[in-house]
Amino acid sequence: MICSGFNKRQLQAIADETVKQAGAFNIKGLGKEGYDDARWILLDYVNVIVHLFDKDTRIFYDLELLWGDAPRVEWQGKRIKAPKKLGKAK
């Protein structure tokens, strides 16, 4: 998954919420890199890798080109509710 944010604070907030929501489903990440600098934050969930970029870093690395032959899946905005005992997804 590739996502962009406008600034360090927003990127860290997106990362924090991603970790929180994954935890609500008892999904534990293997690692988190780049959080302090927040130009490129990587969250590793084994089958899903989350890349959170600031604008300049996303343009520079251009991961979309690297994976250009992969099918593109647009976000549908559909929300999934967390199990009741773990809390609701926001």
Side-chain angles (χ1 to χ4, degrees), residues 60-74:
F60 181 80
Y61 286 102
D62 195 13
L63 290 185
E64 288 89 346
L65 180 63
L66 178 66
W67 294 97
D69 59 343
R72 187 175 183 108
V73 178
E74 294 295 330

Side-chain angles (χ1 to χ4, degrees), residues 34-90:
Y35 183 86
D36 292 335
D37 188 37
R39 295 189 51 130
W40 179 358
I41 300 173
L42 185 139
L43 305 173
D44 184 351
Y45 289 97
V46 184
N47 293 324
V48 175
I49 306 295
V50 180
H51 300 273
L52 308 172
F53 288 105
D54 69 13
K55 180 182 175 183
D56 293 334
T57 306
R58 183 170 181 172
I59 291 168
F60 181 80
Y61 286 102
D62 195 13
L63 290 185
E64 288 89 346
L65 180 63
L66 178 66
W67 294 97
D69 59 343
R72 187 175 183 108
V73 178
E74 294 295 330
W75 178 252
Q76 299 298 316
K78 188 176 184 180
R79 297 193 183 262
I80 301 170
K81 292 185 179 182
K84 287 185 179 185
K85 66 179 184 175
L86 297 175
K88 294 183 180 180
K90 291 184 178 181

Side-chain angles (χ1 to χ4, degrees), residues 15-29 43 45 50 82-83 86 89:
D16 292 341
E17 188 65 19
T18 301
V19 170
K20 178 181 172 185
Q21 291 298 319
F25 288 92
N26 208 23
I27 299 170
K28 305 292 183 210
L43 305 173
Y45 289 97
V50 180
L86 297 175

